[in-house]
Amino acid sequence: MIIKPYNKNDIKKTKSNFFLLYGENSGHKDEIIFDFFLKDFSGENIKYDENQILENKEFFLETCLNDSLFEKQKIIEVSRVTAKLYEIIKDLINRKIYNKKIIFNSELLEKRSKIRQLFEKEENLVCIPFYQDNNFELYKIANEFFRKNTISISSENINLIIEKCSGDRKNLKNELNKILNFCLEKKKITRDEILKLINLYKDESYF
């Protein structure tokens, strides 16, 4: 089942235990994972990398399949997922899972990807694609950030920051945090200051 990340109510309503988040926009994925899985979550959050699972498949399955109805809730995150995990995932979704949500996080997957096709076609699985943000979306995020932090900046300079971010809000937030740290004792920033900040790797002594 496909759910678009902006259909937030559908994400909230689903009762699925298995989620595939794929795409290049790591910043947007981080937001969804926090807002809909980790925020106000009091259970255990366990993180795996694909290589860890391939090295010790049985330990991973044991973590996922411990089916006590009274155990503490768990959210299990698996990062850098590729086709190497397909058989393990397929085996896992045919088992009964209690008190757990398992999130498989992957980079961009082609339409013919077996993992993507599996999650898109099965109604009891959730597939959420994440594409690069367009400049309009990034501008809204940046504009709200500067408004909230009462930092005076022109639209032209906001667009200058957005050009550096390659369509990923995670990159944008990194740049915005640099500016916020720089503006701790001032509420206005110039174009020259922005240029130096967003190219900080060229002049690490700027702060």
Side-chain angles (χ1 to χ4, degrees), residues 27 164-176:
K164 174 78 182 300
C165 298
S166 304
D168 190 329
R169 65 183 66 190
K170 187 172 186 177
N171 295 336
L172 175 62
K173 289 185 176 181
N174 287 338
E175 301 300 337
L176 294 178

Side-chain angles (χ1 to χ4, degrees), residues 96-108:
K96 289 186 178 181
I97 302 291
Y98 296 102
N99 296 323
K100 301 179 190 72
K101 290 190 182 297
I102 304 174
I103 303 168
F104 298 98
N105 191 339
S106 175
E107 295 298 318
L108 192 63

Side-chain angles (χ1 to χ4, degrees), residues 140-186:
K140 286 198 302 182
I141 293 169
N143 192 49
E144 173 61 20
F145 175 89
F146 290 118
R147 187 195 64 78
K148 181 179 177 181
N149 290 285
T150 61
I151 297 172
S152 178
I153 186 171
S154 68
S155 296
E156 181 184 2
N157 285 340
I158 291 178
N159 287 326
L160 185 66
I161 299 165
I162 289 170
E163 288 175 13
K164 174 78 182 300
C165 298
S166 304
D168 190 329
R169 65 183 66 190
K170 187 172 186 177
N171 295 336
L172 175 62
K173 289 185 176 181
N174 287 338
E175 301 300 337
L176 294 178
N177 284 330
K178 288 182 193 176
I179 293 171
L180 181 61
N181 288 332
F182 179 76
C183 291
L184 288 177
E185 297 182 0
K186 55 188 291 185

